[in-house]
Amino acid sequence: MSIRYDEANRIFELDTRNTSYRIGIVDEEGFVGHIYYGQKIRPQKCDQFLRTCEAPFVPSKNNRERCSFMDTFPTEYSGNGIGDYRESCIAVKTANGSRTVDLKFVDYDIVNGKPGISGLPASFAGEEEVQTLVVHMMDGGCGIDVDLIYSVFEDEDVITRSVSVKNAGDRNIRLTKVYSACIDMDDEDFEMLTLHGSWARERQIERRPIAYGKQSVSSLRGESSHQDHPFMAWMTKGTDQTTGDVYGMHFVYSGNFIAQIEKSQFDSIRAVMGIHSEGFEWWLTPGETFTAPEVVLTYSHDGLGQMTRNLHDFYRCHMIRSRYLHQKRPVLINNWEATYFDFDTDKLLAIAKSAAEHGIEMLVMDDGWFGHRNDDATSLGDWFVNENKIKGGLKHLVDEVNKLGLKFGIWMEPEMISPDSELYRKHPDWAFAVPERTATLSRNQYVLDLSRKEVRDYVCECVHNVISSANIEYVKWDMNRQLTDIGSVEFTGDRQGELAHRYVLGVYELQERLVNDFPDLLLENCSGGGARFDPGMLYYSPQIWCSDDTDAIERLSIQEGTELIYPLSTMGAHVSDCPNHTVGRSTPFMTRAHVALAGTFGYELDITKISEEERAMIPEQVSMYHKYNDLVREGDYYRVASYRENGLYDCWMVVAKDKSEALVTYVQVLGRPNVHSRKIKLLGLDVAADYRLDGTEKVYGGDLLMNAGMLIETMRGDYMSRLYHFVLDNSLTCLLYTSPSPRDPKT
Ligand code: DGJ
């Protein structure tokens, strides 16, 4: 049992394998307070941390200072406008114009299993695996019932949270803010870690001290975004990969969000996460319910590395549904960087032929095959093949590719519409636009109004027709602009604030229909690179294109930030041509492959045009993928060194769950003169086991590799890399324990 209610002390006890979370009810008043989250503790009375016996005391004992009480009480979910001046989690607008919310405890339920959230991605688990606590609260004043929902994933040290709000009154109300989670705790001189970026520079790790006031990351772009990421961690100062207390909070949502930490006058912090309230409104008629997306919480006492592994295991076991999760994905070649829009059947078949000869397993035809699209100015929405380029049609092309022994995949951007398209000429009102305003173009395109059922049905039909027209086994679902001018003719003026969220619900509905109708389809999500790499999208696709920057060195920090919270099996990574198209850098072909092997692996180049020498390396790289991918996909990830921090080299490793093998990837970014070999201390091995460096007779103890380290020979040149594969080998143990010890009395 992972959830207990201590009736005597009125404490909810939530326990995972290594962590505890404690919630207290303040009896007479019905406040629901946060007592503790951290390393596992035994069940016991611990409500002193609510500090209700200290001044200003609870309102029933000191009503004169109710306001001070509200402003200090560590709450599980803050109300609005009633004395707690820290960030509120919920706001409503009632018929009389009031915005205050004052929530009180009513009751609770503990159920087995993990309930889904209708219309939204959410973690899942069996009834035996997980328990869920629902804390029922209400505010009779504004007529709402609020449920705080906690599910406890014991094995992964994860607790998920979400919130549902029901209109329990008899008049319409308007929600103007509903966050998904809030945690109050004393500040322990925490630092905050967040992920930032831009197009081609996604998920760069940033750490900063927590200062008084509010510090947040957010998106108002209609998607989770290149710029900020729906994740934050806070941790004790000096936390590194193996030591320090770390709290991670991650949002299972793909639209506008806020993640914020606020430090109060009393040196407590409040961490909140949810749909961004700017521009958000949601009408509830009597009896209707709104459920906010899920937040994933994890705590690690052993530094960032353990937080990473908790999240990796959690997403692999409880979020990604695709049947490809535990399978090697086909090694693909994508024609985007090979041809951009300039391709036809002959060019694609020439690429496919050479790809097949070199062991590649799938051709993906990217943007430019439909309507009359030869650049990014036209045809989005016209999902019929451009027969001038794809001569003989799509089925012919796919059949020919299949005959070469390759699978076939296709690119689509279903959420968009070009002003120059048959679709727009027929249905100009299907694009988001604000009345009497010209909508803002971005990459020459508008966004379809997915809040409308007829638009969703059209998109669904187009995608389904394309996939059914030939043997298409993979779809790359792209989204190349962010939202502006969010206006719909479908909804009345006072409901336009619902559109940003309705758009995200529309995307989810479309992808749900797609994966249900084509369960064998391998779906990869993408958004101008990695702008919609979030746990919400992982519910539909087992992999997401990580970034349009395929340069091996730029990828080091992009992938480091991505791997910090996402399993390697989810990370789209390809070998591309040099000089690299985004940064102009040239790196060795093998280094590009070593870096891409950390993800789904594939090629993004014209194989017919690269040098003979590079082409000849492809079969070896493909066989490395086949040799290591089971380990990379399923193993435990350890970050050994970061180029971002040291400016010279990068190193990560993956260790099999049973510790029987490990793959170390080392990248020497900058060569240096007159240096010795570099000592690297490995992580995560079995100290009692012996490991042989694959391909050699060298055997080392796990204890030696982790405590003394291994020596990485100096490589001559910049951007050089090596893989080191260690496999269990008991010859060292045999040697040590079979050779007679000098102190053995029998000798
Ligand atoms: C953005 C993607 O990230 C690229 O890989 C490519 O598919 C282009 N869009 C095509 O427009």
Side-chain angles (χ1 to χ4, degrees):
M1 252 185 13
S2 51
I3 303 179
R4 275 185 64 240
Y5 182 51
D6 170 356
E7 187 114 37
N9 295 306
R10 308 211 69 189
I11 294 173
F12 292 107
E13 298 169 339
L14 285 59
D15 290 306
T16 69
R17 194 196 298 243
N18 299 298
T19 74
S20 292
Y21 193 109
R22 298 286 181 264
I23 301 165
I25 313 290
V26 181
D27 241 344
E28 317 80 48
E29 336 273 336
F31 298 119
V32 177
H34 182 76
I35 296 176
Y36 174 75
Y37 185 30
Q39 244 193 309
K40 193 156 189 169
I41 53 174
R42 281 171 291 146
Q44 58 199 284
K45 182 168 163 52
C46 51
D47 56 354
Q48 63 273 26
F49 296 106
L50 296 176
R51 296 190 170 102
T52 50
C53 298
E54 294 173 22
F57 304 105
V58 286
S60 58
K61 298 207 181 84
N62 181 9
N63 201 35
R64 179 179 180 275
E65 292 304 342
R66 182 186 167 95
C67 190
S68 302
F69 172 80
M70 297 305 292
D71 209 20
T72 55
F73 183 68
T75 182
E76 277 296 308
Y77 197 69
S78 52
N80 190 40
I82 43 154
D84 182 349
Y85 294 103
R86 295 162 293 175
E87 183 78 13
S88 65
C89 286
I90 183 166
V92 299
K93 199 166 174 199
T94 56
N96 67 11
S98 152
R99 290 171 188 273
T100 54
V101 180
D102 188 7
L103 295 171
K104 293 290 165 51
F105 177 75
V106 178
D107 201 355
Y108 74 94
D109 282 305
I110 296 173
V111 295
N112 289 335
K114 168 67 180 49
I117 306 180
S118 173
L120 284 169
S123 57
F124 50 83
E127 299 226 326
E128 308 297 306
E129 287 175 291
V130 167
Q131 282 195 308
T132 297
L133 165 69
V134 184
V135 177
H136 304 293
M137 303 182 78
M138 65 171 286
D139 178 350
C142 62
I144 55 171
D145 291 344
V146 172
D147 284 348
L148 308 185
I149 304 157
Y150 303 76
S151 295
V152 179
F153 294 78
E154 269 189 272
D155 288 347
E156 293 80 18
D157 286 331
V158 160
I159 294 174
T160 60
R161 289 187 59 174
S162 67
V163 171
S164 73
V165 184
K166 181 176 175 190
N167 182 347
D170 52 11
R171 302 178 70 178
N172 290 353
I173 54 169
R174 192 189 306 198
L175 302 174
T176 56
K177 186 185 210 179
V178 186
Y179 286 168
S180 298
C182 167
I183 301 190
D184 283 355
M185 57 175 72
D186 285 6
D187 183 26
E188 292 175 31
D189 211 6
F190 291 124
E191 289 179 337
M192 187 177 181
L193 183 153
T194 46
L195 301 170
H196 301 267
S198 181
W199 172 77
R201 263 194 288 119
E202 295 89 343
R203 290 174 293 287
Q204 308 287 319
I205 296 173
E206 183 171 273
R207 287 169 79 148
R208 55 182 136 161
I210 294 178
Y212 288 107
K214 296 176 178 176
Q215 32 259 294
S216 64
V217 290
S218 65
S219 167
L220 287 169
R221 296 166 187 268
E223 62 172 352
S224 38
S225 90
H226 297 98
Q227 287 74 13
D228 282 356
H229 203 72
F231 168 82
M232 65 180 172
W234 59 102
M235 56 217 181
T236 43
K237 241 192 194 143
T239 287
D240 58 19
Q241 287 296 317
T242 52
T243 60
D245 293 305
V246 187
Y247 298 87
M249 206 174 190
H250 205 177
F251 201 25
V252 187
Y253 189 62
S254 312
N256 295 344
F257 74 88
I258 184 164
Q260 178 177 283
I261 298 183
E262 174 181 8
K263 183 168 171 178
S264 80
Q265 57 185 324
F266 299 110
D267 293 329
S268 63
I269 61 158
R270 168 166 295 172
V272 293
M273 185 170 268
I275 294 179
H276 205 300
S277 60
E278 192 169 320
F280 170 82
E281 291 184 339
W282 198 269
W283 278 94
L284 285 183
T285 56
E288 271 188 339
T289 298
F290 175 85
T291 303
E294 187 166 280
V295 159
V296 175
L297 283 173
T298 191
Y299 163 80
S300 155
H301 179 60
D302 300 309
L304 284 164
Q306 192 54 50
M307 175 200 76
T308 295
R309 289 183 290 282
N310 293 349
L311 291 175
H312 285 196
D313 286 345
F314 177 73
Y315 291 127
R316 284 185 293 203
C317 296
H318 302 290
M319 187 65 70
I320 302 170
R321 299 174 295 170
S322 166
R323 75 169 182 78
Y324 290 95
L325 171 65
H326 297 299
Q327 286 181 27
K328 273 186 202 155
R329 322 288 155 76
V331 175
L332 65 79
I333 185 157
N334 177 303
N335 75 310
W336 179 241
E337 289 194 28
T339 65
Y340 295 101
F341 293 100
D342 181 17
F343 63 89
D344 59 14
T345 300
D346 292 344
K347 236 187 216 184
L348 292 177
L349 287 178
I351 291 174
K353 183 167 177 299
S354 179
E357 286 162 5
H358 291 85
I360 293 172
E361 297 155 335
M362 179 160 73
L363 174 78
V364 175
M365 177 170 66
D366 211 280
D367 192 356
W369 58 267
F370 52 93
H372 59 278
R373 190 159 165 100
N374 291 311
D375 55 32
D376 63 16
T378 75
S379 304
L380 292 168
D382 297 346
W383 296 109
F384 47 83
V385 73
N386 178 347
E387 299 237 8
N388 292 329
K389 290 167 99 170
I390 310 302
K391 297 177 195 83
L394 190 54
K395 179 157 179 6
H396 167 72
L397 171 66
V398 177
D399 288 347
E400 291 304 305
V401 169
N402 286 168
K403 274 186 216 157
L404 292 167
L406 260 60
K407 296 174 188 292
F408 187 87
I410 202 163
W411 175 99
M412 295 188 79
E413 194 177 0
E415 301 159 57
M416 299 292 153
I417 181 166
S418 304
D420 177 10
S421 65
E422 287 182 19
L423 185 66
Y424 190 74
R425 283 184 280 277
K426 205 162 153 202
H427 296 292
D429 60 313
W430 280 16
F432 268 147
V434 173
E436 289 155 40
R437 241 181 220 289
T438 310
T440 313
L441 279 172
S442 178
R443 209 196 192 208
N444 280 316
Q445 64 202 53
Y446 295 136
V447 182
L448 281 171
D449 177 1
L450 296 184
S451 69
R452 293 171 66 174
K453 184 170 179 325
E454 60 188 320
V455 178
R456 295 197 300 274
D457 287 346
Y458 171 82
V459 170
C460 189
E461 196 187 322
C462 290
V463 177
H464 284 226
N465 287 345
V466 169
I467 297 172
S468 315
S469 69
N471 184 24
I472 294 173
E473 299 183 65
Y474 158 108
V475 165
K476 176 177 173 188
W477 179 305
D478 205 349
M479 186 229 191
N480 279 304
R481 63 155 294 175
Q482 302 176 327
L483 272 54
T484 58
D485 309 276
I486 307 175
S488 172
V489 294
E490 178 92 351
F491 290 90
T492 53
D494 52 5
R495 299 197 70 165
Q496 299 284 308
E498 299 182 8
L499 291 176
H501 182 54
R502 285 191 183 278
Y503 178 81
V504 180
L505 294 178
V507 174
Y508 290 152
E509 183 196 301
L510 287 174
Q511 297 215 349
E512 184 70 27
R513 286 162 78 172
L514 180 63
V515 298
N516 283 333
D517 291 349
F518 299 97
D520 291 335
L521 184 79
L522 173 55
L523 179 62
E524 173 158 330
N525 268 293
C526 171
S527 176
R532 209 162 54 184
F533 203 128
D534 58 59
M537 299 317 286
L538 287 182
Y539 189 65
Y540 306 96
S541 67
Q543 59 193 59
I544 303 177
W545 183 229
C546 185
S547 176
D548 276 350
D549 196 334
T550 50
D551 170 66
I553 303 307
E554 289 298 304
R555 275 282 178 138
L556 295 178
S557 54
I558 296 171
Q559 294 188 181
E560 183 189 358
T562 307
E563 293 154 354
L564 180 75
I565 50 180
Y566 296 103
L568 306 188
S569 63
T570 65
M571 197 169 65
H574 297 166
V575 177
S576 63
D577 203 3
C578 278
N580 178 267
H581 294 195
T582 44
V583 284
R585 181 183 287 125
S586 290
T587 52
F589 199 62
M590 204 45 107
T591 301
R592 285 175 256 160
H594 287 166
V595 174
L597 281 169
T600 55
F601 197 72
Y603 293 86
E604 183 103 11
L605 42 73
D606 188 341
I607 189 170
T608 66
K609 292 199 176 139
I610 58 173
S611 71
E612 190 49 54
E613 194 192 341
E614 290 184 344
R615 207 166 23 244
M617 288 188 218
I618 291 179
E620 184 194 344
Q621 296 178 348
V622 171
S623 57
M624 284 195 293
Y625 168 78
H626 284 291
K627 180 169 179 186
Y628 301 131
N629 185 256
D630 286 345
L631 171 61
V632 169
R633 211 182 51 244
E634 310 285 346
D636 285 334
Y637 166 87
Y638 291 84
R639 171 57 54 175
V640 180
S642 162
Y643 162 59
R644 184 182 51 82
E645 287 171 0
N646 63 41
L648 289 171
Y649 62 98
D650 214 58
C651 184
W652 66 91
M653 57 189 291
V654 183
V655 182
K657 289 266 173 211
D658 64 1
K659 306 211 181 277
S660 60
E661 59 172 333
L663 183 69
V664 181
T665 308
Y666 180 91
V667 181
Q668 172 182 290
V669 179
L670 294 180
R672 297 171 85 202
N674 196 19
V675 283
H676 290 155
S677 55
R678 184 177 299 286
K679 192 169 75 176
I680 294 281
K681 291 184 183 175
L682 301 189
L683 296 166
L685 300 174
D686 178 353
V687 283
D690 305 327
Y691 294 91
R692 184 168 49 78
L693 184 57
D694 195 12
T696 74
E697 295 304 313
K698 295 175 187 164
V699 179
Y700 309 97
D703 52 352
L704 184 88
L705 292 167
M706 290 176 54
N707 294 308
M710 70 177 282
L711 296 178
I712 309 270
E713 65 271 38
T714 306
M715 293 171 257
R716 195 172 152 72
D718 294 339
Y719 319 135
M720 306 300 285
S721 63
R722 287 262 197 288
L723 295 184
Y724 301 89
H725 183 214
F726 289 95
V727 290
L728 271 191
D729 184 302
N730 61 5
S731 60
L732 183 64
T733 312
C734 295
L735 196 75
L736 291 175
Y737 298 115
T738 52
S739 50
S741 147
R743 270 175 283 151
D744 187 338
K746 280 176 267 158
T747 58

